[in-house]
Amino acid sequence: MYNAKYIIPGIIFFLALAFAPVVYNMGHKFEVTPELPKDQKDCVLPTQEMRDKHMQLLNEWRNEAVRDGNRIFVNAKGQKYVKSLTNTCMSCHTDKAKFCDRCHDTVGVAPYCWDCHNLTPDQKSPIPPVAQAASGGH
């Protein structure tokens, strides 16, 4: 190699630069643990499943509720919930900045949920509560 004294240090520098974020994050444990409100015993799904799959669940809820008209979710325990970010999720997790934004900002994602679900705490969603929806003809 004619320019080995330049190429080899250049490759080493490039690899160090490319793997710096990986090495930095290896010792960095991401741990944000949202908690249920005191008056709630359970979430719609187990905690770890909600952490891992809440976006898929919300997408399924959106598709089933809006496109198919199926607005009731029944979990593995047989509990019924309205498929509603505003009425179901935000009724317990009322502080968006503390509950949602804290995790989303940490991992660098910007979900588009809030493009539509931008109700203030004193506003109510037009979707009925689960008791009415479950017994009221669906």
Side-chain angles (χ1 to χ4, degrees), residues 42-94:
D42 294 319
C43 194
V44 297
L45 293 173
T47 303
Q48 190 59 44
E49 194 170 345
M50 286 304 295
R51 282 187 195 137
D52 295 341
K53 300 179 181 177
H54 69 279
M55 196 61 224
Q56 292 90 339
L57 177 71
L58 291 173
N59 281 335
E60 289 172 11
W61 280 15
R62 178 201 59 206
N63 293 342
E64 292 170 3
V66 174
R67 296 177 184 164
D68 303 333
N70 177 5
R71 296 196 177 274
I72 303 299
F73 171 75
V74 181
N75 68 9
K77 295 180 179 179
Q79 298 166 318
K80 294 182 180 181
Y81 298 92
V82 173
K83 294 177 182 175
S84 170
L85 174 66
T86 307
N87 287 336
T88 301
C89 304
M90 299 306 289
S91 67
C92 293
H93 308 291
T94 55

Side-chain angles (χ1 to χ4, degrees), residues 83-134:
K83 294 177 182 175
S84 170
L85 174 66
T86 307
N87 287 336
T88 301
C89 304
M90 299 306 289
S91 67
C92 293
H93 308 291
T94 55
D95 189 347
K96 177 184 170 287
K98 181 180 176 187
F99 188 78
C100 305
D101 295 343
R102 185 173 65 160
C103 293
H104 293 152
D105 292 345
T106 302
V107 297
V109 297
Y112 55 87
C113 311
W114 310 113
D115 293 352
C116 301
H117 297 276
N118 56 1
L119 299 176
T120 60
D122 59 331
Q123 292 176 306
K124 295 290 182 196
S125 173
I127 301 171
V130 71
Q132 293 174 357

Side-chain angles (χ1 to χ4, degrees), residues 19-29:
F19 285 103
V22 174
V23 172
Y24 174 77
N25 286 320
M26 284 174 54
H28 227 219
K29 181 158 173 111

Side-chain angles (χ1 to χ4, degrees), residues 1-5 7-8 11:
M1 288 178 124
Y2 294 108
N3 293 322
K5 66 180 181 179
I7 293 173
I8 293 175
I11 291 173

